[in-house]
Amino acid sequence: MRNFLYTLITFLVLTNVNAQVLSPVKWTTKIEKVSETEFNLIASGTIQEGWHVFSQFTPDGGSLPMVLNFKDIKGNYELVGKAKESPYQKVYSDVFEVDEYIFEDKVTVTQKVKITNPKTTKIKLNLEYQVCKEACINDSKDLVFNIPLVSSVVETTVSKDTIVELDSQFATTVDTSNTPTTIKQAEPKSIEPIKDEKSLWTIFFLAFLGGFAALLMPCIFPMIPMTVSFFTKQSKSKAQGIRNAIIYGLSIIAIYVILGSLITGIFGAEALNELSTSVAFNLIFFALLVIFALSFLGAFEIMLPSSWATKLDSKADKGGIIGIIFMALALAVVSFSCTGPIVGTLLVESASKGGIAPVVGMLGFSLAIALPFMLFAMFPGWLNSLPKSGGWLNTVKVSLGFLELAFAFKFLSNADLVLQKHLLERELFIAIWIAIFGAWALYLFGKYMLPHDYEKADKIGVGRLMMALVVTTFTFYMIPGLWGAPLKILSGLTPPIHYAESTNGFGSSNSNKSELPEHAHFGPHGIIAFEDYDLGLAYAKKVNKPVLLDFTGDACANCRKMEDNVWSDPAVLKILKNDVVLISLYCDRKIDLPKDKQYVSKTTGKEVVTIGNKWTDFQITRYKSNSQPLYVILDADGNDLSKPIAFTFDKQEYKKWLEDGISLYKK
């Protein structure tokens, strides 16, 4: 019964998707006057339940970001800064293997402008965005902001999709069902912020672990008994010693939290949200992590000026609360050669998350460092249980160096994905990680020494052996990834599977380009595919096969799910490879059409300027649908042989649909 209900609901949903042009987001606009020449242009979208829109800052490699195209800027007005958004929600896409930034229910985008031409009375905005549910839709909306000449207007008449506000105290809503539309004033509505609590807790937890790792560094671990002994011996009573140790720990926390706050304050929470997609920042982070890694591996020491530590030590000798605070500062400075790379890495990672993540990260890091000093001061007897300093501390330091080096290439990969240069594709990335973790395993087994090692170990401890086995196992786990294995443990760290030298894996027979017809390419699972409608039809006529018309998109998650879960079925794949000619029309391609091929759609009235616009307009005009994926069986002359079918996980249903269309072609 449950399967029957699921099938019925899926059928109804897909029937509805195929039967109409969907528009799941309704947009309203308003204007807020900032000064005589500056205004905030605000576009607010109400999103239908179950659908979601992607932020303009969503990372590359996933779904399409929102794009704001302001018209006729030159000589009329200037954009002041970048457009700001209401808080988005961060979710992980297991299809594209990246975090995606989405809006559900509502979205607000605000752009500040400065009028430079006093005759400017209208500002036009074209808003492009992708909205997804069971299907994905590449939609756009043309909005017009009327620049007010007076301070307030009670009621006015404007055309569809145009909303004006002349007083910032009121929001305006519009009924777009009729044209023209009368605007009515309404009470302002607040947008509930969506807090990415899971991400912040993850940052806190990782930073806390980083703090414990810093404790095991050679320049901090030996200071624990020394510092605790100082408090217990110099204090007049046990209670005073505990109080001083608590002040010392709180001072450590305050120092690092202030550091995180400064990072947030200098860059700004909004700017930090963009770091994950910024090529420049990702390259800078890559360089920083490589420097930190080399420092941990023993190439050099990252040191602050020794005069700083001397001055702080002299201040700490004064005693009292001020002296204790300076003791905490002295610890931060003296231990910088060990903690600097860890702190730097945490700030890099948390800064790329945006918002208050740097503050949360430094709170977790400093809490882990401060707790042992406070706890051992309260219970001095615990000091006897601490392991003695020795070579194992340097092993921890070197291990962190290998980890830093591996994660550095994640930021380099981010930059490459944004630029789509294909310089660090999946195979090369995995090969680099195999080399790094393989070298780490050999070090743990004691096969070679690094500059910080005083003597080669004739034997290794049980703990080091267990760590070596774990690292070795992980290294071997990554090797099949060179031939296309998904490596689910590394999901989100490696480049996506499709971002590779060969999506079919090394040595695949499908990678032989001599088998390709002219103008074709190998699509998913080695299926021969065309991206040009006319060329695909011509080839279908030549080989006397029906056409599978595939309305898809580079950033269409459900298209990838269909390809990975339905097209991969042996029975379905056999049909796709042997019995049809696949023509894939990408409705989200931003490649401009030649000027003489651009036009205004007779169906939607919108400008068709890109390849994606062209195929979307074709889909809407012919099939009254704007959602992807959508599949149709055609004959070689372009006539429909079947009703379109959309997203479905039912392999048998899809196979039967293909077979029915092919049988109609053969009649």
Side-chain angles (χ1 to χ4, degrees):
M1 177 59 73
R2 183 175 63 180
N3 291 336
F4 171 76
L5 290 175
Y6 173 78
T7 303
L8 178 61
I9 292 171
T10 302
F11 172 77
L12 292 174
V13 169
L14 296 179
T15 301
N16 184 53
V17 168
N18 289 336
Q20 59 182 310
V21 177
L22 300 177
S23 184
V25 186
K26 303 299 181 184
W27 291 95
T28 62
T29 64
K30 69 176 182 179
I31 298 176
E32 290 181 349
K33 186 173 182 180
V34 179
S35 66
E36 289 301 318
T37 59
E38 293 185 330
F39 298 87
N40 284 330
L41 309 183
I42 304 172
S44 299
T46 301
I47 307 168
Q48 288 184 15
E49 184 178 358
W51 293 83
H52 57 268
V53 173
F54 298 91
S55 163
Q56 59 186 319
F57 305 123
T58 196
D60 278 21
S63 299
L64 290 181
M66 184 185 300
V67 178
L68 285 71
N69 301 307
F70 285 91
K71 308 293 185 180
D72 304 320
I73 296 178
K74 188 174 182 180
N76 294 312
Y77 60 96
E78 299 174 352
L79 302 181
V80 181
K82 292 190 175 183
K84 298 181 179 180
E85 300 176 343
S86 51
Y88 53 66
Q89 184 176 5
K90 185 179 296 184
V91 297
Y92 180 73
S93 169
D94 56 358
V95 176
F96 296 117
E97 299 182 335
V98 295
D99 286 328
E100 293 186 325
Y101 306 160
I102 68 169
F103 300 101
E104 295 176 330
D105 300 326
K106 292 184 178 181
V107 55
T108 298
V109 182
T110 303
Q111 175 65 62
K112 188 176 182 180
V113 298
K114 182 178 181 180
I115 305 300
T116 56
N117 181 0
K119 294 183 180 180
T120 300
T121 58
K122 289 184 179 181
I123 293 179
K124 297 180 180 180
L125 167 64
N126 172 254
L127 203 59
E128 296 182 353
Y129 54 93
Q130 188 174 68
V131 54
C132 293
K133 189 183 179 182
E134 286 86 5
C136 289
I137 297 171
N138 302 309
D139 208 349
S140 67
K141 184 66 67 176
D142 293 317
L143 304 175
V144 178
F145 298 87
N146 287 354
I147 305 302
L149 299 177
V150 292
S151 59
S152 63
V153 169
V154 176
E155 183 172 287
T156 186
T157 301
V158 296
S159 61
K160 183 179 179 179
D161 290 332
T162 304
I163 304 171
V164 184
E165 185 186 57
L166 302 180
D167 191 332
S168 61
Q169 295 179 354
F170 298 96
T172 54
T173 58
V174 63
D175 178 6
T176 59
S177 59
N178 297 302
T179 304
T181 302
T182 300
I183 295 175
K184 301 177 182 179
Q185 292 176 337
E187 292 298 321
K189 296 182 179 180
S190 61
I191 296 178
E192 292 291 331
I194 304 172
K195 298 181 179 178
D196 194 1
E197 295 179 357
K198 183 178 179 181
S199 179
L200 289 179
W201 276 111
T202 301
I203 287 290
F204 178 85
F205 178 71
L206 293 176
F208 194 76
L209 291 180
F212 274 122
L215 278 173
L216 301 179
M217 294 289 99
C219 50
I220 293 185
F221 188 81
M223 297 181 68
I224 296 176
M226 293 168 53
T227 305
V228 172
S229 297
F230 172 82
F231 285 129
T232 55
K233 291 178 180 179
Q234 297 298 321
S235 303
K236 296 180 180 179
S237 64
K238 181 179 179 180
Q240 186 181 13
I242 293 174
R243 186 202 68 181
N244 290 342
I246 291 174
I247 294 173
Y248 180 71
L250 293 177
S251 300
I252 293 173
I253 294 173
I255 290 168
Y256 285 103
V257 169
I258 289 172
L259 176 61
S261 301
L262 286 174
I263 295 296
T264 304
I266 291 171
F267 289 100
E270 292 295 331
L272 289 174
N273 287 334
E274 303 176 46
L275 294 186
S276 61
T277 58
S278 168
V279 174
F281 274 106
N282 274 289
L283 291 177
I284 291 171
F285 292 164
F286 166 72
L288 283 175
L289 291 188
V290 169
I291 292 172
F292 294 156
L294 294 177
S295 173
F296 273 163
L297 293 174
F300 49 80
E301 292 283 356
I302 300 176
M303 302 288 291
L304 291 177
S306 58
S307 59
W308 292 15
T310 303
K311 290 181 180 179
L312 290 172
D313 281 337
S314 64
K315 297 289 185 182
D317 291 338
K318 293 183 177 180
I321 294 178
I322 300 299
I324 293 173
I325 294 174
F326 276 103
M327 280 184 65
L329 278 170
L331 172 71
V333 172
V334 171
S335 63
F336 185 79
S337 62
C338 291
T339 62
I342 298 177
V343 171
T345 304
L346 288 173
L347 285 175
V348 164
E349 180 63 23
S350 58
S352 67
K353 301 298 182 185
I356 62 169
V359 179
V360 174
M362 289 301 97
L363 176 62
F365 177 83
S366 58
L367 185 61
I369 291 181
L371 274 176
F373 288 98
M374 294 188 288
L375 291 175
F376 282 116
M378 295 178 184
F379 307 100
W382 290 4
L383 288 173
N384 297 326
S385 62
L386 283 179
K388 295 181 179 180
S389 302
W392 68 274
L393 291 175
N394 190 61
T395 301
V396 173
K397 186 175 181 179
V398 170
S399 295
L400 289 175
F402 280 113
L403 283 174
E404 296 244 352
L405 188 59
F407 281 105
F409 284 92
K410 171 57 181 171
F411 288 98
L412 185 61
S413 173
N414 287 345
D416 184 52
L417 285 168
V418 170
L419 294 174
Q420 289 289 297
K421 293 294 186 180
H422 288 265
L423 299 176
L424 188 58
E425 293 178 316
R426 183 179 175 89
E427 294 94 342
L428 179 57
F429 182 94
I430 293 172
I432 291 172
W433 269 44
I434 289 172
I436 292 172
F437 281 87
W440 183 12
L442 291 175
Y443 173 80
L444 291 173
F445 279 121
K447 296 301 181 181
Y448 63 91
M449 296 173 58
L450 288 172
H452 285 157
D453 296 313
Y454 298 106
E455 58 182 16
K456 188 174 182 180
D458 295 327
K459 59 181 179 179
I460 60 175
V462 175
R464 183 166 173 170
L465 173 63
M466 297 305 294
M467 176 60 75
L469 292 174
V470 170
V471 175
T472 302
T473 301
F474 182 68
T475 304
F476 281 112
Y477 167 79
M478 290 189 288
I479 292 175
L482 295 172
W483 287 271
L487 303 183
K488 293 182 180 180
I489 293 177
L490 295 179
S491 182
L493 291 174
T494 61
I497 290 180
H498 68 269
Y499 196 78
E501 293 180 12
S502 172
T503 55
N504 302 308
F506 295 143
S508 171
S509 61
N510 292 326
S511 61
N512 185 1
K513 293 188 177 181
S514 63
E515 301 175 7
L516 279 173
E518 189 178 6
H519 306 298
H521 70 283
F522 285 116
H525 312 293
I527 303 169
I528 294 175
F530 290 83
E531 293 181 2
D532 184 279
Y533 180 75
D534 294 323
L535 293 174
L537 283 181
Y539 179 74
K541 185 173 292 187
K542 178 181 177 181
V543 297
N544 192 27
K545 290 182 180 180
V547 168
L548 172 61
L549 193 59
D550 166 31
F551 290 98
T552 184
D554 289 310
C556 173
N558 284 331
C559 301
R560 302 295 86 78
K561 289 180 180 179
M562 280 290 295
E563 293 160 6
D564 293 343
N565 296 282
V566 178
W567 286 16
S568 62
D569 180 76
V572 173
L573 187 57
K574 182 179 179 182
I575 295 174
L576 296 178
K577 283 189 172 184
N578 301 318
D579 301 332
V580 297
V581 174
L582 175 63
I583 302 178
S584 295
L585 304 181
Y586 287 82
C587 297
D588 57 4
R589 287 273 169 92
K590 299 300 182 183
I591 301 173
D592 288 339
L593 293 166
K595 290 292 184 181
D596 60 339
K597 300 294 183 181
Q598 298 179 7
Y599 62 95
V600 176
S601 170
K602 294 181 180 179
T603 304
T604 64
K606 296 178 180 179
E607 293 182 349
V608 176
V609 297
T610 67
I611 290 176
N613 295 155
K614 176 183 177 180
W615 299 134
T616 299
D617 184 56
F618 176 43
Q619 183 183 358
I620 292 174
T621 302
R622 184 159 173 172
Y623 299 108
K624 306 300 185 236
S625 171
N626 61 342
S627 62
Q628 294 86 43
L630 188 74
Y631 308 101
V632 192
I633 299 290
L634 311 177
D635 63 21
D637 294 319
N639 300 310
D640 294 348
L641 295 175
S642 67
K643 290 184 178 180
I645 188 173
F647 176 74
T648 176
F649 270 140
D650 192 330
K651 300 173 185 178
Q652 293 303 316
E653 176 194 8
Y654 192 78
K655 177 175 175 289
K656 184 177 186 304
W657 176 82
L658 286 172
E659 291 172 338
D660 290 345
I662 294 170
S663 64
L664 289 173
Y665 175 79
K666 292 179 178 179
K667 286 184 178 180

